Amino acid sequence: MSMNNVGRPTRPETANDAGGHETLTGGRGLLQDEALIFELNGWTKTGVDLPDAAAPSSDLAGLLRSEPIGLPGLSEPEAVRHYVRLSQKNHAIDLALYPLGSCTMKHNPRLNEKMARLPGFSDIHPLQPQSTVQGALQLMDRLAHWLKTLTGMPAVALSPKAGAHGELCGLLAIRAAHEAAGNGHRKTVLAPTSAHGTNPATAAFVGYTVVEIAQTEDGRVDLKDLEAKLGDHVAAIMVTNPNTCGLFERDVVEIARLTHAAGAYFYCDGANFNAIVGRVRPGDLGVDAMHINLHKTFSTPHGGGGPGAGPVVLSEALAPFAPTPWLVHDAGGFSLVEHAGEAGAETAFGRMSAFHGQMGMYVRAYAYMLSHGADGLRQVAEDAVLNANYVKARLKDVMSPAFPDGPCMHEALFDDSWLEGTGVTTLDFAKAMIDEGFHPMTMYFPLVVHGAMLIEPTETESKQELDRFIEALRALAGAAKAGDAERFKGAPFHAPLRRLDETLAARKPRLRWKPVAEAPLAAE
Amino acid sequence: MRYLPLTPEDRAEMLGVIGVKSIDDLFVDVPASARRDAPVDLPRFAGELDVEREMTALARRNRSAGEGPFFCGAGAYRHHVPATVDHIIQRSEFLTSYTPYQPEIAQGTLQVLFEFQTQVAALTGMEVANASLYDGSTGAAEAVMMAHRVTRRSKAVMSGGVHPHYVGAIETLAHAAGVETARMPAAIDAEDAVIAAIDADTACVVVQTPNVFGTVTDVTKIAEAAHAAGALLIVVTTEAVSYGLLKSPGEMGADIAVAEGQSIGNGLNFGGPYVGLFACKEKFVRQMPGRLCGETVDADGKRGFVLTLSTREQHIRRDKATSNICTNSGLCALAFSIHMSLLGEVGLRKLAGLNHQKALALRDALAAVPGYEILTPRFFNEFAVRVPGNAAELVETLASHGALFGVPFSRLDASAGMDDVLLVAATETTLDVDITFLTKLLTKVVGQ
Amino acid sequence: MRFTKDHEWVVVEGDVATVGITAYAAEQLGDVVFVEVPEAGKTVKQGDQLAVVESVKAASDVYAPVSGDVVEGNAELSDAPETVNALPESGGWFAKIKLANPAEVDALMDRDAYEAYLGTL
């Protein structure tokens, strides 16, 4: 036979060093250390080829920037590498389950991205003649129709740019309605202790005093306490439903009745609308205003922290006070009423921001709606709730559900009583999840549950992925109870970085790179 | 349904594990009066092809800026965005990640924010910048609220050159919080007029340069007057490319600089999403709204980045937060930062020079058309022009001939009595033939 | 040393009270990262907001345990907020207040009463 025996080895050698192997450069396989753009000596570089410009006109004498700005440039290959390397240090829903309760990390369909990039949506100016953007206005009108139909509410203000901006919009409409009715003295907002931090922040921002409503043992609004605190001084209640404990407010109809009887409005925080979309219409529950986070229920991408979009649906009583622009439709087509006080928007409370809102997010959300349809959206809610209850059922023997009785909605809430005596905290447990390849759940929220762990799997997860996640959590729970605290205390060990010193960051804030080298920060 | 992985068999098995008979058993807490047995009255699910057809049909009913001569600005500008930008922001790890609350597995997003903050601070000439706000207009409103907290005074004075939509956003927030606003009459070149309105109650003065009419102003004197009265100066800019050519807000004494960052890295998108740039003097950092990213080290002493000073924010301070904001404009800030690092200082200065050059060419061409008068004395890439007759009608007429001429000022502020004032802009995307086409068309229209 | 239910302490020398937060409060807050102390000359009534103390995870108001005029804020805390954790009941003091009503001090808890109160939390 002829034999070629000069090839490479095709089996791994026996490992002689099982762990703790430090590399010489700090790089680890596919994971590279990456300098800041300011450290790449790009002060005279550019990655954009532009023709030379003539000298500026003499009109601008004395107004020109003469000092160096201090901005490095990167050639295109350097830029691509820089950002791709950085990207690989991020967890993402496209990588694995991302069970952040209350945040709703679900799949972002790529069709929506493609649609948002059609020049007819992405390359149109907000102030070009309305006759030239009839398709954009029609899309806004259809999105509004879907939102109104799904919520059973008569009106929607599309322009708020995020959930918290929507809350502000809703409370301003409520305030305007009270003032128009001579009830400007109503200055109190009631909100449960379990509320999102944005609720009290928004209420305080518009000059309202926040009074907390007690919670019952089973995680719902305490009706007696609510009734006792309602009165002629109350402008509104702010209640999240399903609430931040992942539970449906069973008495929501009664909550609405009591609120209205006291002359106040019912603001519903719609952050968890994804649990009930297509199955329950907030309008049937007596809600007066509710924001909808398009990035939660209708899957516009979270993008590492935005942009969001927070349209607010409004009842008949509040609709006249909605902010401009208003979209109107007549024989001539669609048009925008852009100024408060103008014919058609006489009672609008004002404007939330420049232009007409988050069009790019509207396009994505509308594509998501069309893809799912009424039946698909209902299935979304059902699968989200099913997945959460499945997680709860399969973990209840090793972890402690905060509200063991009855079903949860789209998220399963656990407290840390099951970790007692293990020396492992909720935070340690979460950091160990990172080593297992999962993003931690929401921790220490809601505030009403000790060491809270709020798991929201969403409808995106297959049963196989859920089982993989559940097995990982069960294994970790077993390790914690078996006294393997080391696995948790130092975690994560396998992430791009180990645990970060947040105290140091806050005590000695370094919020930008500086041209003169600073002494390296050292842990205390 | 292509986005839903559970099979009917999975669902049945899972219900069994949970110990209930049907999905309805999981919705038992919903009051009977609000239960719906059937889907709402909307279309059923649709395949990708059908959705794409419907969306494309809607998109076709819009005239996109790239279809012909285009001269609109007034707070939103058409620039060329390198292909790299859109490619990177569609990477899964950036597109489909959340706010970086777990820094160990979010260093990509966090380092980008740190770089973004440094870029914005450099551009505005300020000491610190945050990780972005929703857009320029809401940023301006937040700046007024911040000045109110810093000075503990309750009046904001705005120049007549501030974009009217920004004025609207400021008024909404300020009035909600009990802060009084005073706006000078709309004026093309009178930013200095705010000086006379500053008094002992003034928390801040808001000026814009280049202003909504395009006028560039050295606001140093206004800064001095504001500071002498114990007020802060907020400088607003709607065209971030102008930082490449013009004196920065920091150089002119601004306490807070706010800008719309859309021009860099982000498309027109019919007005949103955009990205608000927000920078200030370091001594005010604890009164800043929005997220901040800071440098620190990990347990092994390696450099890393975290969200910091978060005790200012709503999730901790609740009703005492500096702002109710809990979202930034992350992906748009990423696009801004990528485009900015591709440009670098060399590219930004060139780009700014080109924008100015194109605007000068447009001015010269329009000035030569009988009946048209250039109103803005000093400008970067946009200016106001007086047209014969009603600007809104003229714009409609030109649109029907295939040119998007500009933004009638009356569209922004119908009460200013400036129905014949048109705001026009030129950028590096403007072609000489576009300008020629426009002037020929105008000569024809006026001639009729 | 006298104490309030809001976990402030007071030590009186002559007619000036030195005020800070208790070791218990400092431990509950965690690593203190920022302190905003009042400026000299500020007049406070008992129960008014006197200072702000921030840890990474919480921001809290510190209330004036006694009424009077602030004669000094502890400027060193702005550069070294960690002193509040290291020496909460000595070097980590927040402010010195010239007493307007010395009787207010007598009404505050002594250490035994405060410790007993902590036992009920």
Side-chain angles (χ1 to χ4, degrees), chain A residues 331-473:
Chain A
F334 293 95
S335 59
L336 293 165
V337 182
E338 295 177 284
H339 305 285
E342 240 172 53
E346 290 87 351
T347 47
F349 71 68
R351 170 177 278 284
M352 294 297 293
S353 64
F355 312 129
H356 328 305
Q358 305 286 70
M359 181 67 178
M361 302 295 113
Y362 303 160
V363 176
R364 290 171 175 87
Y366 185 55
Y368 181 88
M369 290 171 173
L370 286 180
S371 294
H372 284 82
D375 46 345
L377 290 173
R378 187 179 168 94
Q379 191 67 55
V380 161
E382 291 177 357
D383 284 359
V385 170
L386 178 65
N387 281 354
N389 277 284
Y390 181 70
V391 168
K392 183 181 167 193
R394 288 211 52 207
L395 291 175
K396 68 181 175 194
D397 59 326
V398 293
M399 292 166 62
S400 42
F403 301 99
D405 300 331
C408 60
M409 297 303 286
H410 62 305
E411 49 199 5
L413 178 61
F414 297 87
D415 63 26
D416 62 357
S417 58
W418 65 279
L419 282 170
E420 216 174 296
T422 61
V424 175
T425 63
T426 294
L427 181 71
D428 298 332
F429 188 77
K431 296 298 184 190
M433 284 172 66
I434 292 175
D435 281 336
E436 304 299 331
F438 294 102
H439 195 283
M441 65 288 266
T442 293
M443 291 176 282
Y444 302 103
F445 180 85
L447 308 176
V448 292
V449 168
H450 198 271
M453 300 175 219
L454 186 61
I455 300 177
E456 179 178 4
T458 82
E459 72 282 3
T460 290
E461 303 308 325
S462 67
K463 182 171 175 299
Q464 289 69 28
E465 184 76 356
L466 280 179
D467 284 333
R468 204 169 75 81
F469 172 70
I470 288 163
E471 292 308 329
L473 259 59

Side-chain angles (χ1 to χ4, degrees), chain A residues 480-519:
Chain A
K481 288 175 184 172
D484 186 8
E486 269 315 292
R487 176 183 299 281
F488 299 89
K489 285 290 164 201
F493 296 96
H494 301 289
L497 286 183
R498 302 283 307 283
R499 241 183 260 193
L500 287 121
D501 189 342
E502 293 180 58
T503 298
L504 182 65
R507 278 189 183 156
K508 300 195 167 51
R510 278 192 190 176
L511 307 173
R512 59 178 293 189
W513 177 86
K514 294 219 169 117
V516 179
E518 294 175 289

Side-chain angles (χ1 to χ4, degrees), chain B residues 251-304:
Chain B
E251 285 175 274
M252 298 187 286
D255 296 286
I256 304 173
V258 175
E260 174 52 68
Q262 171 266 331
S263 280
I264 298 176
N266 289 277
L268 289 168
N269 289 317
F270 199 47
Y274 288 175
V275 51
L277 313 183
F278 193 104
C280 69
K281 290 181 175 164
E282 194 155 17
K283 63 181 173 185
F284 301 133
V285 69
R286 282 176 190 274
Q287 293 298 338
M288 257 180 138
R291 293 191 189 123
L292 284 165
C293 171
E295 182 183 330
T296 187
V297 294
D298 78 351
D300 290 339
K302 288 177 80 172
R303 177 172 72 183

Side-chain angles (χ1 to χ4, degrees), chain C residues 53-67:
Chain C
V53 56
E54 290 184 14
S55 67
V56 175
K57 61 184 181 184
S60 310
D61 291 333
V62 177
Y63 304 110
V66 290
S67 307

Side-chain angles (χ1 to χ4, degrees), chain A residues 167-178:
Chain A
E167 289 177 32
L168 184 64
C169 174
L171 284 195
L172 289 175
I174 287 170
R175 200 171 100 151
H178 278 312

Side-chain angles (χ1 to χ4, degrees), chain A residues 128-132, chain B residues 390-406 408 411:
Chain A
Q128 68 187 60
Q130 295 181 21
S131 58
T132 65
Chain B
N390 182 294
E393 287 168 16
L394 177 69
V395 162
E396 286 285 354
T397 305
L398 263 65
S400 67
H401 287 85
L404 296 173
F405 185 13
R411 173 109 187 241

